[in-house]
Structure formats: C-alpha cells, structure tokens
Amino acid sequence: RSRRRRCLRPAGQFSALARPLALTTASRPQLRMSGGSPDAKSSGRSWGPAMVATLAVGVYYSFFSPESSDLDIPEAPTYSLADLHQYTGESGDGSILLAVWGRVFNVTSAPEFYAKGEGYHVFAGHDCTRAFALQSTKAKWLDYNLNGLSEAKIKHLNDTYWDTYVAKYPIVGRLADPPYDPAAYDNFAGPFAAIQVPRSLDAKAAPARRKSRCPVTNAARAIGRFVSSMIPKQLAAPAA
C-alpha cells in the first residue's frame, strides 16, 4: 500500500497541478488492461511517472504548441467610437460590432438579438460597458464612462463580459478612445495592452493544421486544456 500511495503522488513542479487527477485516480478501482493482466506492483510503480510525463506533455501542448495555440496571432486592430458607430448591420457588409471594456466584439452571428428591429439593436455600434453594468437598454448609457459604479455592478459587468461575450463572440479589435480607462480593469478583463485577434479571423490565415491521430498526444493535449481551464478567468487574457 505504501508503494501505491507514493506512486500516485506526483513529484516535482507539476505536483500542484496533477494532485486533483491523482486523487481522482486513487479513489477509483484498478482498471484491467486489455490483452492481459500485468503485475499489479509493477503497474503501480510505472503509473506515477507516466502520469507526470503525460501531464507535462499536456501542459506544453496547451500553452506552447503551435497546433493548440496560435504563435502568429496578429495584434488587434483599433476602432474609434466614430468607426464603431458605422457597424450597426444596416450598411456595408452588414457587420454588427459592439464594445465591452474596450474590446470590440463581432456579434453579427446573432441577428436575432442585434439586428434592426430586435431588442438589443440599441447596443449595435456602441460601447455598451456601462449599460451592461446597469443592466439597462437605455441609449443614454451607451459610450459612457464608468464613474460611480458599485462593486456589485462591476461584478455583474465582469460576469456578462466573460459568460456572454467572450464565451460566444470573437474579439475583432480594441477601442482607441473608450470613455474610460480599460487598463484600470485589467484585473477583471485581462491586460488591455495585450489584446489579440485569433488568427482564424485573419483574412490571410493559413489552412488549419492536421490533427494528430496519436492517442497519447491527444490525451496529453486534453489534460493540458483541463489544467489551463482551471486557471481563474480573471488571470487569462481574453480570447475568442
């Protein structure tokens, strides 16, 4: 028993990240390998190092692999408020943009909410940050500063930003002249100076790379994505 417990406790710099996985594994019954019944002791001795190695590869692929993250992500283009006002879906190519915390989102994929005649069309082409904090559809709160907002309103704004906009719509740029200082809210929305546009939105983007068929590599990447998902969302730079 002492050997098994030592094997299930990862060593080194990945111990803090791998501990939830180790505890989960320890609480489950031993699984039989297909094609034979390996010796339980030798299997136990190899499981700990194998898990640490797999986790290490997963973390690498999640944060550093070109296939799992775009190393050539272009800088976000800038829009002035005057530019933003042109993107209401009523002219040009029909694009609908809006801004939250200085980030410009493309919400064209949701015409049922933002197209002309719909309930949220008032937000199209505007910075909606204060309006979202106040949960208001009044036009007077559009393109407005954030002075005097309570902590509860800021928290609601943070939830709306992450759970509605970052989760559903791509960031396509940043505001050049927001009516507040976006960098003052970096602890909520991530660093304003580091906003990037996903390469998939770049007109000159290269074709997608082929996905690996190796089960070990795919398992490692899945673990890496799980670990990265455990990072508090306030610490992560926004992404599409």
Side-chain angles (χ1 to χ4, degrees):
R1 292 183 180 176
S2 61
R3 289 182 178 177
R4 180 172 298 178
R5 284 197 294 271
R6 284 197 296 272
C7 292
L8 289 174
R9 187 180 299 116
Q13 61 179 326
F14 297 101
S15 59
L17 297 176
R19 191 174 298 114
L21 299 177
L23 294 176
T24 301
T25 306
S27 65
R28 294 183 179 180
Q30 182 74 24
L31 298 178
R32 290 186 176 181
M33 300 290 290
S34 59
S37 300
D39 178 71
K41 292 183 179 180
S42 62
S43 175
R45 283 195 298 269
S46 62
W47 174 244
M51 180 169 61
V52 173
T54 302
L55 179 61
V57 175
V59 172
Y60 169 80
Y61 275 110
S62 178
F63 291 98
F64 304 107
S65 171
E67 188 167 323
S68 60
S69 62
D70 290 318
L71 300 181
D72 298 324
I73 297 177
E75 275 195 22
T78 57
Y79 295 79
S80 67
L81 282 172
D83 294 332
L84 192 64
H85 294 165
Q86 307 303 312
Y87 293 94
T88 61
E90 300 176 63
S91 60
D93 61 0
S95 295
I96 306 175
L97 306 183
L98 59 79
V100 188
W101 259 334
R103 283 78 171 168
V104 178
F105 289 87
N106 187 331
V107 297
T108 310
S109 61
E112 67 274 21
F113 298 120
Y114 301 102
K116 186 176 182 179
E118 302 300 335
Y120 292 158
H121 180 66
V122 64
F123 298 137
H126 293 279
D127 181 280
C128 308
T129 308
R130 189 178 185 92
F132 289 165
L134 298 176
Q135 303 178 58
S136 172
T137 57
K138 294 182 179 180
K140 69 178 183 177
W141 300 125
L142 300 175
D143 307 325
Y144 206 92
N145 64 53
L146 303 181
N147 297 344
L149 288 179
S150 67
E151 184 177 346
K153 298 298 184 184
I154 293 293
K155 182 182 182 303
H156 175 77
L157 173 59
N158 186 48
D159 292 341
T160 299
Y161 171 79
W162 286 99
D163 298 337
T164 299
Y165 289 93
V166 170
K168 297 180 181 180
Y169 306 110
I171 292 176
V172 296
R174 76 178 81 200
L175 276 183
D177 54 348
Y180 47 83
D181 179 11
Y185 302 92
D186 281 358
N187 59 319
F188 291 100
F192 182 71
I195 298 175
Q196 295 174 322
V197 176
R199 188 166 176 77
S200 59
L201 298 177
D202 185 4
K204 299 181 180 179
R209 297 178 177 89
R210 293 174 58 186
K211 293 184 178 180
S212 172
R213 295 184 180 180
C214 175
V216 176
T217 299
N218 290 333
R221 289 183 180 135
I223 293 174
R225 287 192 295 270
F226 169 77
V227 172
S228 64
S229 70
M230 301 301 291
I231 297 175
K233 60 188 179 182
Q234 287 87 351
L235 300 181

